[in-house]
Amino acid sequence: MPERNPGAILDLQREARIGLTEAVLCEHKSVEQIANILHQLRERTTPGLLTRLDADKLARLPEALRGELDFEELSRTAFFTAPLRPKQGAPVAIVSGGTSDAPVCLEAARTLEFHGVGAVLFQDVGITGLWRLLERIDEIRRFPVVIAAAGMEGALFSVLGGLVGSPIIAVPTSVGYGVSRGGQLSLNAALSSCAPGVLTVNIDNGYGAACAALRFLNSRMR
Amino acid sequence: MPERNPGAILDLQREARIGLTEAVLCEHKSVEQIANILHQLRERTTPGLLTRLDADKLARLPEALRGELDFEELSRTAFFTAPLRPKQGAPVAIVSGGTSDAPVCLEAARTLEFHGVGAVLFQDVGITGLWRLLERIDEIRRFPVVIAAAGMEGALFSVLGGLVGSPIIAVPTSVGYGVSRGGQLSLNAALSSCAPGVLTVNIDNGYGAACAALRFLNSRMR
Amino acid sequence: MPERNPGAILDLQREARIGLTEAVLCEHKSVEQIANILHQLRERTTPGLLTRLDADKLARLPEALRGELDFEELSRTAFFTAPLRPKQGAPVAIVSGGTSDAPVCLEAARTLEFHGVGAVLFQDVGITGLWRLLERIDEIRRFPVVIAAAGMEGALFSVLGGLVGSPIIAVPTSVGYGVSRGGQLSLNAALSSCAPGVLTVNIDNGYGAACAALRFLNSRMR
Amino acid sequence: MPERNPGAILDLQREARIGLTEAVLCEHKSVEQIANILHQLRERTTPGLLTRLDADKLARLPEALRGELDFEELSRTAFFTAPLRPKQGAPVAIVSGGTSDAPVCLEAARTLEFHGVGAVLFQDVGITGLWRLLERIDEIRRFPVVIAAAGMEGALFSVLGGLVGSPIIAVPTSVGYGVSRGGQLSLNAALSSCAPGVLTVNIDNGYGAACAALRFLNSRMR
Amino acid sequence: MPERNPGAILDLQREARIGLTEAVLCEHKSVEQIANILHQLRERTTPGLLTRLDADKLARLPEALRGELDFEELSRTAFFTAPLRPKQGAPVAIVSGGTSDAPVCLEAARTLEFHGVGAVLFQDVGITGLWRLLERIDEIRRFPVVIAAAGMEGALFSVLGGLVGSPIIAVPTSVGYGVSRGGQLSLNAALSSCAPGVLTVNIDNGYGAACAALRFLNSRMR
Amino acid sequence: MPERNPGAILDLQREARIGLTEAVLCEHKSVEQIANILHQLRERTTPGLLTRLDADKLARLPEALRGELDFEELSRTAFFTAPLRPKQGAPVAIVSGGTSDAPVCLEAARTLEFHGVGAVLFQDVGITGLWRLLERIDEIRRFPVVIAAAGMEGALFSVLGGLVGSPIIAVPTSVGYGVSRGGQLSLNAALSSCAPGVLTVNIDNGYGAACAALRFLNSRMR
Amino acid sequence: MPERNPGAILDLQREARIGLTEAVLCEHKSVEQIANILHQLRERTTPGLLTRLDADKLARLPEALRGELDFEELSRTAFFTAPLRPKQGAPVAIVSGGTSDAPVCLEAARTLEFHGVGAVLFQDVGITGLWRLLERIDEIRRFPVVIAAAGMEGALFSVLGGLVGSPIIAVPTSVGYGVSRGGQLSLNAALSSCAPGVLTVNIDNGYGAACAALRFLNSRMR
Amino acid sequence: MPERNPGAILDLQREARIGLTEAVLCEHKSVEQIANILHQLRERTTPGLLTRLDADKLARLPEALRGELDFEELSRTAFFTAPLRPKQGAPVAIVSGGTSDAPVCLEAARTLEFHGVGAVLFQDVGITGLWRLLERIDEIRRFPVVIAAAGMEGALFSVLGGLVGSPIIAVPTSVGYGVSRGGQLSLNAALSSCAPGVLTVNIDNGYGAACAALRFLNSRMR
């Protein structure tokens, strides 16, 4: 076999450089690779955030490591040892069209929590029953940052963008079927929104939406 | 050259069979082919509806034929001799997001007019300024059929579908740029609308939307 | 964890607003989320329609809830307690190309039934053996609304559209392989039909086709 | 500049090898390149078939060459000096949905003519007015090979394939708009036809359809 | 439940009309639907051809029916009772690029056999080792019809089309990975072949290629 | 002709509602429609921002209106009468890969200027000559918001995202050819960036990027 | 059943002709087909390289054959009997963005090893933590050929291409989600790289990248 | 207007860093931007290579600059003052399928010439007339690097890859129509070639292919 450098090289300076921790995206990694990374984190006593961790992979991790993980199943996230910072306030609103978007909303919420930032969830305010959104819109307007998750045709982004002046970070979700299968339609709806200045991240990327919100909150505090 | 049958064969029984006249789609036809068809119509004293007729092609038609055409430029439609039937009532609402959708709205209105059916236009009720739609929604609700035209992300279809109980015929328009260029996004938004029972025709197909409305009105009268 | 509002917010006013009940799309929901919604419906003594409910998810629902569900396997639909209204007449023809389209046809039929509307199925009238359709076309023509389901190249929509004057609601199905895999081809065939005024819903969306038929029938009765 | 071999190398043995002449596809060639090839053909006293030759490029060819070309404008084809063989019989039916498909039908007919084979055109037998096709179907059935050209949703291929037992060569045309723009939909309809054994060539490839028919006829005569 | 016509309606006249039997495409059908069709065939003592029949579905058919099926696993085809006609001669060459294309080649061969026509297989003549094809090309040239199956980049179709004068029916296969995953690339290569007159069927459609060959052989014999 | 409401309905409350002015997207509007809107603005003495205004359309506007427009050609923007607010500070960095991205950068800068916000341009810091970016990175890092424009493969977004902690708004541009033609590749690169929290707007949407930056800055000031 | 030639025809002269051995791509082959090929290799005492061999298929091979295979699980490769040549030197650098790209890197390394060529792996030098790449860039620059593997947005190819003068062979990997799912984005990033002269192979094609490197090294030695 | 840095920043160290000069891609640049860059080059007495320069843009450059450009029309390239180095040898074979690929072949040849490297062109060796390629294959085999250009179905790459052991750099061209329009098919054929180790650049990217060849030749000389 060829010469190899030993294991993963973590970007531990990222926190200092841009204020965000490198998350461990578990989806394409083997159980061995994940365990290897957790060992490295433990050696340096660095907390870690794991995303897209299947319950199945979790079960196959060595028991000692598993015991140190705070796992949340719906979002498939885990905190390794303690989160980065104690929680302060809840400056982020997370708004979603339907209950099927819950996993993505929670991935965002957990990422914020890991960085010490709270959030309030506004679920099931899809625009087919417009009254549900209008009833809560004044409350939502008060948040300095709004994360909005929606699948299907993603009309929520445009309605929200016309009613709220805060930065809006759209997270298209892969909820849908037929021509909206996979989230591309909802993504394009966010990008083409008639409402000016709606911003977007990748499909199902609750982690990325949270990181963007953190960039804004960090910039705000400077 | 091979043997050929002489000129186009029109489906003149269509009106009797399904209550709709065959329109002459001029887009892919040469000036000679259009003239040939108009001559056939004149011989049988049958009125005709022309769609997607460029002002340029119109100008190159023989003057005698041109004089018998009632041409409307924005919709690129023409009536050959008189329309099919005198106009009765205005049972169709045509709702659109923005002024850029006007050509498609007018193609629908002209097709209805040719078949003796009136329509009322509600333009510029796009959902970014939601108040514009809400202000007129009670009026729109009273129409037995609603045609809705929108480009970009097509969020209008979903908001309308959640507020109006009448049949809604979405016409996605090719208005947009970047990922909404060409109308596919708006089409998919109509197809994936969270609002139940929204119906769709091809991109920019104002003629088809009007025909669908006519099918419904004809069926209603039986 | 972040603050959350408790459970799903149902749009129970939808029936009053647009004459259609909100269906529970089970595909992207967990068993817990479905159970939660059924409990809400029970508390308010509101009947419910469930779609895309796998036999497997059904089996994992609490037995008490399961006992109140009238489940039909091929269509993957369930009625929670009684349907909305007693059945009256059969004004809808559901026409399909082949036996593989049966699940979609039945989803439409069950949705109509839940709203108290009957339907007659005309299966296996695909156009390769054209005589099968021509034999029954006079019968089909008499229905005030026609739902047509077809996969593959979707030629049925065009032939039907040229022979029948009633409103035609095409439901493209995902039946096919190679370039017709997934239903996009059949959908585009419906949208591009040479027959004027054919209307379309999303791929495999029997529920949506039925809702559109209900909009027509409701509007007709006003 | 780099070393180059002088001009195009024609595959003049193709006729002997597979019974078909190499056509000169003019679309991506400059006027100079076309002239160069014609000079080569003249030197070897070999007749030539030119396809996709714009009237504009034709006008810019040296007058001496232009005089030897038998040009047909609608099909954009030209014969250089005499066609390959005198014409014998008309064993090919060329069937098309609408008058907009005429250029493709004529490219096929001209290619056959160049190889000494006749054809009969059946235009305007699109399936929306089904009677037009049914009226002529017994006549069409008698041809040993059928070429069928259609754009839009391409339903003609399936109806024809269910009624005719001869080999059917579909030529999808780029006629259409919205989702059928460019011919891909019609192509896929031919490929996915429910009628067994329908064959296809590239979009707008009347030349290729004729070559396929020639392969059949040549094979038949052996 | 809605009124339904009883079971599938088979197109039993197809054989008389176009010389080809309707095959039962099992892929999207339930075991019950397949059994129902076989019962109908038995009642009318009509032989049947089944395609895309999984070994798993076969195993779940009633034993009595299973006993009457002549099943071939690699091609996933079955003959119900005897094939249509006794076998006569082998006028079809089936040429393929690699051993991974075997299932498609056999589906074609079995369909021919069911209709009483023999074939010779030339496997593993992919063009990367060009000598393998050149060694056998004179033999292949003598067949009146050639079916060619290839996945990946489908270069076989072009090389073959330049060397053989008989009709060539390309069957693109879904063999490949990355950008050739699913067979679309190989399909497009067949359609765009520089060799004139190459014909194509849908991806993995060995059945359709055989039907096309049968159309040609039937036409030849008239 | 059908009844129509008179002219466009502007969303003049938008500024009060969300802090952003409705821009007039001129791309799909006729000269008459643009003139109509400018007259409305003049009547209400409201300043206006026009985007995607071709020099050609500008020239065809009535001279009186043209004289009141402050037009910038490269960005195709115009201010109608005075901009919204006097300019204060330059809190936005606009970073771009190459000089071909200049039109998009300037559309963003002009939109900011119209709202009274300044910007500093960092052009030609594409990552192939990495030193050009590294030389200026400390300067860029100090801005509270960064807009980054890039076409081709869009690698700039990822490199920037790894080095800068401020919010980053990517504007994919349509600069490129072959597989990067049209900007979709650069858009997807922004969406899939390994750098956490990069945000995106539609292709070539400099206006949208500026609006998003304004949302951030407005929220910051509250 | 039709006549068939016996088993696969291997291109055993390939090594002599172009210096590369034909690998056995196991993905689309049955266990029987793989065994058949191994038997042929054994008879001719020719070593063989197997790629995309699942552990599951391996387990189902006859034990005698399995014993002669040197299998490596992560890369899914196996050497049949001894590799082609003893290993000499390590002229190839294999650089990758993240640990998820390891299977592809190892497929390349194993292919090189089979041909007697060594490689050094540089893993986890993704550009979000740019220092990781810059730290090792001088070392990488010294290799005569560089293979680079990356998924997601593939920005590594461009950064590397701007810093290294050796030939760079990009292997896009299918690592990613949302719009980068499947590797097409990374592939297009390699093709559109602003860095001049970056070369590409198919998605996940570590084998092909190694073969390209071998072509270069062989050419170099002549 | 915002603050801007003055003009383009050229990467003049690129030659020293990776042995390749930055070319000026003129396609998306205005005449003013090109002139600005040429002035910079003149000031530093650095030779420059311009690509995708339309004859029309050339004509609009200031006459002084134009006089210093060595322009070649078919390839749309220009050398500013003298090329980089005097020409030495001709180690590169440029092979193409048809005369329509000439512009791309010449762009590659001119780029090589600018860097002092010669090439030999082998045009019109498309594989439909296979003898044309086989006649010259021994000659082609002797070159240390082969650039191959082909449009349509790109079968040339695979045939060449099976016969030649040198590094092969495929340049897919946009020559074709229907499903091969735009070059994507030819690109995918190169990527999926059954011949091992074929390398690819972007569609129509003759410049990139030449740069890749230069990387090989430079690495070889070290």
Side-chain angles (χ1 to χ4, degrees), chain A residues 127-130 134 151-155 158-159 161-163 177-181 184-196, chain B residues 127-130 134 151-155 158-159 161-163 177-181 184-196:
Chain A
I127 56 93
T128 306
L130 196 61
L134 296 182
M152 305 288 285
E153 90 285 46
S158 290
V159 174
L163 296 173
Y177 62 92
V179 298
S180 63
R181 186 190 298 125
Q184 187 71 47
L185 171 59
S186 177
L187 168 59
N188 286 350
L191 289 164
S192 297
S193 174
C194 293
Chain B
I127 56 94
T128 307
L130 196 61
L134 295 182
M152 302 291 284
E153 89 287 46
S158 291
V159 174
L163 296 173
Y177 62 93
V179 298
S180 62
R181 186 190 299 124
Q184 187 71 48
L185 172 58
S186 178
L187 167 59
N188 287 350
L191 288 164
S192 298
S193 175
C194 293

Side-chain angles (χ1 to χ4, degrees), chain F residues 128 153 158 179-180 185 192 194, chain G residues 128 153 158 179-180 185 192 194:
Chain F
T128 307
E153 90 285 46
S158 290
V179 297
S180 63
L185 171 59
S192 298
C194 292
Chain G
T128 307
E153 90 285 46
S158 290
V179 299
S180 63
L185 172 59
S192 296
C194 293

